[in-house]
Amino acid sequence: MLKIIIPTIMLIPLTWLSKSNMMWINSTIYSLMISMVCLPLMNQPCDNSLNLSMLFFSDSLSTPLLMLTTWLLPLMIIASQYHMTKEPLARKKLYITMMILLQIFLIMTFSATELIMFYILFEATLVPTLIIITRWGGQTERLNAGIYFLFYTLAGSLPLLVALTYTQTTLGSLNMLLTQYLTERLTHVWGDSLLWLAFMLAFMVKMPLYGLHLWLPKAHVEAPIAGSMVLAAILLKLGGYGMLRITMMLNPTVNFMAYPFMMLSMWGMVMTSSICLRQTDLKSLIAYSSVSHMALVIMAILIQSPWSFMGATALMIAHGLTSSLLFCLANSNYERTHSRTMILVRGLQMILPLMAAWWLLASLTNLALPPSINLIGELFVTVSMFSWSNFSIILLGINITITALYTLYMLIMTQRGKYTYHIHNIKPSYTRENTLMLLHLTPLLLLMINPKIILGTMY
Amino acid sequence: MAPGLLGLYARRLLAAATTRGRVAAPVRWESSSARAVIAPSAAVGKRAPEPTVHWQEDPEPEDENLYEKNPDSHGYDKDPVVDVWNMRAVFFFGFSIVLVFGTTFVAYLPDYRMHEWARREAEKLVKYREAHGLPIMESNRFDPSKIQLPDED
């Protein structure tokens, strides 16, 4: 693990000590190499985990998320190169440093063995993200967005700290590898229900669950492109990952405590998908679509069946890549027109046809077209939800339909139709932007061929 | 009526014949009362004057169009040399190294999570059990005699 963490830490001196014209090149190259170094973790020899040290381990659940994290840093750097051109050099370096710091915390979070270390790093990821949103966001609403983001997550995770310290004192160890073998689980006592709630609430806020999701549209919309990418692709998955790890300690209380959250998730996914149909702001649409997809993941984790865990993991990876891609596409629009309103920039297929191809592919994966991995995730979740309760298929079917509807709405609104009369300053697509989209799409499409690596621990 | 019409058409024909032969006037209109002349507008065929009010849809004045100075810009940097090297670096390290080698690595992963081993082992056990007349699988996953239950509380 150190072979990943130490190079990532050393990216910071690399950024600060590079010559000004080599700064972006250096950081991009070395972050790509770090994602290469992360790849050997994929070699999971058995259905247990790779125990790398006392502090770090990697198993089939954390490895795809780690790969996603390390893949995303170079993409964030490439995406930020345009809107940072006017900033002074020190501030550019600070921006890259924030991204690298976030990367370090995320790598350590996904590979932590001890739950308290996981918690500390989980909270630590908030700080660079907050700095990126509030310092480099575009509009004045970014301050409010930062406050919502910070305090929702903090308020949710303080009970988690209490619960973790309590469990540490009673159990003696919070090593994730050991707690799998816990024999005395939680009981049906009132206090244990509150303990369950304390454990889960932090991750529910992070996912986000429908009732606690207000921070997400604000934070995603006001963040600069790198902030949006990392928020949508990775930080939401921290919640899913945490839930997947903690649920193995929490049986059988989860059987009845899960019901309110199941209801909120099922209703929430339909509601947020419907809200997407009425959005005028492009980034807000993508943000609400993230809530909808993550609601599926929450449901899958709460029903705790092997298929649903496979679906949850696949959906997390697939959504990470797709959502980040959609935000990059929305940003390529924003850089040209400085507006996120969808109706202001229409008919782009005529003007930027190659970008329209990427928009099409992104929309197709977002609406879970077979055989993409988004479909694999959604299908596994749908099937396992059906076996849990036959009636859930109604809401799930409605959600899948509405997902297709709003995705096509977004595609048709931005790409098809007659272009608006005032578009005379749309610059042709840069190689940088096409490269960025392809770097998102290629893993997404390649994983179609070999999805077993993203299906997680239950495969 | 006919003579009247004839007169009208005749006058029109006469007027057309007299003006047809005239050279295309450099002026548009000549006043018959004063010596005022309206010359053809110098702006005929040219664009409307630039709007003075700044609209939201107009290009931002501080937006830099990288294509102006460098028509071959790849979008990374103003300096063409740095731009080209950045493009090359991203393509080489991003696609040629990470994506290609990464895909190859994942494609040739040895027996991911021991699935192939599990299949071979299962076939071997089934063959053994069928040969010896044993049931293919017992309904008890663990040996019941080894489970120690706590006392009834």
Side-chain angles (χ1 to χ4, degrees):
Chain A
M1 219 43 225
L2 269 182
K3 66 177 184 269
I4 306 172
I5 297 175
I6 300 274
T8 319
I9 296 176
M10 292 311 287
L11 275 179
I12 300 180
L14 173 77
T15 321
W16 282 94
L17 298 173
S18 292
K19 283 195 299 201
S20 65
N21 58 350
M22 285 296 287
M23 177 185 63
W24 293 107
I25 303 181
N26 275 342
S27 42
T28 319
I29 290 179
Y30 285 100
S31 41
L32 282 168
M33 287 289 97
I34 290 175
S35 73
M36 190 72 187
V37 164
C38 220
L39 210 45
L41 288 176
M42 284 280 192
N43 184 16
Q44 298 281 331
C46 62
D47 52 356
N48 215 332
S49 50
L50 283 176
N51 302 333
L52 303 166
S53 82
M54 293 296 288
L55 296 169
F56 299 116
F57 83 120
S58 89
D59 77 352
S60 325
L61 170 58
S62 61
T63 308
L65 288 165
L66 261 172
M67 279 305 309
L68 187 60
T69 314
T70 46
W71 184 237
L72 220 76
L73 179 63
L75 266 49
M76 277 157 52
I77 294 175
I78 296 173
S80 314
Q81 269 185 267
Y82 180 75
H83 77 91
M84 295 297 286
T85 41
K86 293 283 178 325
E87 302 260 337
L89 187 63
R91 231 170 264 164
K92 279 193 243 197
K93 292 186 173 174
L94 198 61
Y95 190 66
I96 303 180
T97 310
M98 285 297 119
M99 289 198 277
I100 296 169
L101 207 58
L102 187 56
Q103 172 89 328
I104 299 169
F105 292 147
L106 282 168
I107 292 176
M108 295 211 282
T109 316
F110 281 125
S111 52
T113 41
E114 184 73 30
L115 276 173
I116 296 268
M117 176 164 144
F118 169 78
Y119 174 79
I120 293 174
L121 294 161
F122 178 82
E123 296 298 301
T125 56
L126 288 180
V127 174
T129 320
L130 180 71
I131 296 178
I132 291 177
I133 296 177
T134 49
R135 175 65 187 78
W136 281 284
Q139 283 75 34
T140 52
E141 290 84 15
R142 68 185 191 271
L143 302 169
N144 202 11
I147 297 210
Y148 264 72
F149 167 66
L150 183 70
F151 285 106
Y152 263 69
T153 318
L154 273 182
S157 54
L158 203 55
L160 177 64
L161 179 63
V162 175
L164 282 175
T165 35
Y166 168 74
T167 318
Q168 164 84 1
T169 46
T170 48
L171 269 187
S173 164
L174 276 177
N175 195 325
M176 274 195 262
L177 306 169
L178 287 180
T179 52
Q180 293 173 29
Y181 302 110
L182 198 54
T183 45
E184 289 173 13
R185 301 297 177 90
L186 293 185
T187 59
H188 290 261
V189 181
W190 187 245
D192 277 341
S193 304
L194 284 178
L195 193 66
W196 187 93
L197 205 61
F199 272 122
M200 290 301 219
L201 209 55
F203 304 118
M204 296 290 186
V205 171
K206 200 78 181 175
M207 286 296 296
L209 181 66
Y210 175 59
L212 306 162
H213 70 289
L214 286 179
W215 63 271
L216 189 136
K218 292 194 193 316
H220 276 70
V221 166
E222 303 304 329
I225 178 61
S228 291
M229 282 166 77
V230 77
L231 268 170
I234 318 276
L235 290 176
L236 264 48
K237 298 6 178 210
L238 271 179
Y241 176 74
M243 272 171 75
L244 278 166
R245 292 288 186 214
I246 295 248
T247 43
M248 60 183 102
M249 299 204 296
L250 294 177
N251 268 332
T253 325
V254 77
N255 293 340
F256 63 88
M257 281 302 291
Y259 283 109
F261 299 99
M262 289 296 293
M263 282 184 339
L264 275 174
S265 294
M266 273 201 273
W267 190 236
M269 72 178 173
V270 175
M271 278 288 107
T272 43
S273 306
S274 316
I275 291 176
C276 282
L277 282 172
R278 298 295 297 162
Q279 286 296 320
T280 49
D281 182 336
L282 185 54
K283 275 179 92 164
S284 190
L285 194 152
I286 305 171
Y288 275 109
S289 119
S290 287
V291 181
S292 173
H293 284 114
M294 287 297 111
L296 274 169
V297 176
I298 295 179
M299 289 193 296
I301 298 176
L302 286 175
I303 61 178
Q304 294 192 331
S305 87
W307 270 54
S308 76
F309 275 5
M310 284 201 273
T313 323
L315 201 50
M316 284 201 285
I317 305 293
H319 174 261
L321 284 166
T322 311
S323 194
S324 179
L325 172 60
L326 283 170
F327 274 116
C328 287
L329 287 166
N331 185 57
S332 73
N333 266 5
Y334 181 76
E335 279 173 0
R336 286 168 170 76
T337 54
H338 290 289
S339 164
R340 294 190 296 262
T341 317
M342 275 195 285
I343 55 173
L344 275 186
V345 195
R346 284 172 286 154
L348 284 180
Q349 188 162 1
M350 282 289 121
I351 307 174
L352 303 172
L354 187 57
M355 203 50 83
W358 310 140
W359 269 103
L360 179 68
L361 281 174
S363 305
L364 290 179
T365 48
N366 196 26
L367 56 90
L369 189 78
S372 67
I373 47 179
N374 298 267
L375 176 83
I376 293 177
E378 273 192 36
L379 201 62
F380 278 25
V381 172
T382 311
V383 166
S384 51
M385 283 291 293
F386 180 69
S387 89
W388 176 75
S389 155
N390 288 12
F391 293 107
S392 62
I393 197 79
I394 303 174
L395 283 169
L396 280 162
I398 293 176
N399 181 52
I400 293 183
T401 315
I402 302 185
T403 304
L405 283 174
Y406 71 69
T407 315
L408 288 174
Y409 168 66
M410 175 178 69
L411 180 70
I412 292 174
M413 187 62 101
T414 50
Q415 306 301 117
R416 303 291 162 91
K418 179 129 176 64
Y419 46 83
T420 43
Y421 68 94
H422 61 269
I423 298 184
H424 54 268
N425 58 337
I426 301 279
K427 304 184 270 281
S429 304
Y430 293 114
T431 316
R432 176 184 65 87
E433 291 167 339
N434 289 326
T435 317
L436 187 60
M437 308 315 162
L438 261 180
L439 283 172
H440 276 105
L441 270 172
T442 318
L444 200 53
L445 300 174
L446 281 173
L447 277 169
M448 271 193 239
I449 310 174
N450 193 4
K452 66 180 186 224
I453 49 177
I454 54 167
L455 286 175
T457 45
M458 294 288 169
Y459 176 65
Chain B
M1 189 178 90
L5 278 174
L6 195 58
L8 178 65
Y9 287 144
R11 264 181 279 131
R12 278 194 183 159
L13 273 172
L14 205 60
T18 50
T19 54
R20 188 73 45 85
R22 194 182 297 174
V23 173
V27 301
R28 280 205 322 212
W29 181 80
E30 267 183 343
S31 166
S32 50
S33 54
R35 278 181 300 170
V37 155
I38 305 295
S41 169
V44 158
K46 295 204 179 117
R47 247 188 268 134
E50 296 295 318
T52 46
V53 177
H54 186 69
W55 283 17
Q56 188 194 357
E57 296 93 350
D58 289 337
E60 297 277 321
E62 56 267 354
D63 250 357
E64 199 180 347
N65 185 358
L66 288 168
Y67 288 120
E68 262 180 47
K69 301 276 173 55
N70 177 14
D72 295 328
S73 173
H74 293 286
Y76 289 100
D77 198 86
K78 282 193 305 250
D79 179 0
V81 175
V82 172
D83 189 48
V84 164
W85 277 101
N86 199 335
M87 181 268 300
R88 287 176 182 162
V90 168
F91 271 118
F92 179 66
F93 287 95
F95 286 93
S96 307
I97 293 204
V98 178
L99 278 176
V100 168
F101 287 162
T103 314
T104 322
F105 181 82
V106 168
Y108 285 98
L109 281 177
D111 202 7
Y112 185 72
R113 291 177 71 85
M114 291 170 86
H115 269 246
E116 292 155 31
W117 174 88
R119 174 72 65 164
R120 284 195 307 267
E121 184 71 14
E123 284 165 0
K124 187 183 109 188
L125 282 175
V126 164
K127 191 169 143 194
Y128 176 85
R129 285 179 186 161
E130 276 176 355
H132 293 265
L134 298 166
I136 300 180
M137 205 167 160
E138 288 99 29
S139 40
N140 285 328
R141 175 70 175 89
F142 300 104
D143 186 4
S145 59
K146 295 199 181 130
I147 298 178
Q148 293 167 342
L149 290 170
D151 303 329
E152 293 290 324
D153 281 325

